[in-house]
Structures are given as C-alpha cells and as structure tokens.
Amino acid sequence: DGQWMTLGIFALVEGDETTSDDVFQLAVNPQGVLRGNYHNVKNKDMEPITGSVDKKTQKAAWTIGADKTPVYEAGIANLTKDATPLLVHTADGVRQVSLIRLEQPPQQ
C-alpha cells in the first residue's frame, strides 16, 4: 500500500541531555504498519525500522534491523507532537527516554 503518512524525524534523548546520536525517521500506513530508518550519526550506521500500531491501545512499537530487542514504544498520537516520552523495553527491564522532533529542511 503506497499510502504512507510521515510521522517525522526524531532524536532520542535521555534525561537532561541536549544532543543525540540516535535518530528515528518514522512513517505509518492505514493498516498500522510502521516503517522507517534508524540512523546513528556518530558511527554512520543506518538500519531499517519495522513495527506496528496496536489498533486497540493506539501504541506504536518497533525494533531496529533484525534485532528483537530493544523494543521501542510510544503512543501513536504522541508521535504527532514535538516531544514525547518513549519506553525502551530491553532484556534488563524498561526505561523511559524522550523523542524530540527535528526540523525538516525546507522543500526546494
């Protein structure tokens, strides 16, 4: 299905940090399939994101590349805001970080 809605480009920040090497580009289709890219700016790694939106809870969850963990989770409505909490589920437990929307360059 070619009807993808861009959710945006976000930096992942922890606590009071003001910079990040971790960037997520996210999009969703009408069926709730979540796709995008993860980019580690520091080491120039880029990997695909795969996930989905639970239609009942309206929570979006995704992973990076072939990895099964960590699982990143946020409310789909929160991904329309400039900043939102993000839960990171790892084998060691759950921690909360933030996603901060990045400005997109103007279209030429």
Side-chain angles (χ1 to χ4, degrees):
D1 191 310
Q3 298 178 2
W4 289 90
M5 181 177 85
T6 299
L7 295 170
I9 301 171
F10 303 89
L12 183 146
V13 295
E14 298 200 40
D16 295 331
E17 290 180 3
T18 57
T19 62
S20 175
D21 293 326
D22 300 307
V23 176
F24 293 94
Q25 180 180 15
L26 301 171
V28 65
N29 74 6
Q31 291 75 35
V33 176
L34 190 72
R35 293 289 184 264
N37 292 301
Y38 163 77
H39 183 212
N40 182 293
V41 178
K42 187 175 187 178
N43 58 19
K44 298 182 177 26
D45 284 344
M46 187 170 297
E47 294 189 65
I49 289 172
T50 55
S52 63
V53 177
D54 183 295
K55 292 187 189 263
K56 286 185 181 179
T57 65
Q58 293 297 296
K59 290 183 181 175
W62 65 90
T63 57
I64 297 171
D67 296 337
K68 299 295 181 200
T69 61
V71 175
Y72 300 87
E73 177 188 338
I76 191 70
N78 291 342
L79 292 173
T80 63
K81 300 179 181 178
D82 289 339
T84 186
L86 176 71
L87 296 178
V88 182
H89 300 267
T90 66
D92 298 328
V94 180
R95 64 188 168 98
Q96 184 172 317
V97 296
S98 296
L99 286 180
I100 307 298
R101 183 177 302 280
L102 299 176
E103 295 280 328
Q104 294 188 32
Q107 298 289 328
Q108 298 280 340

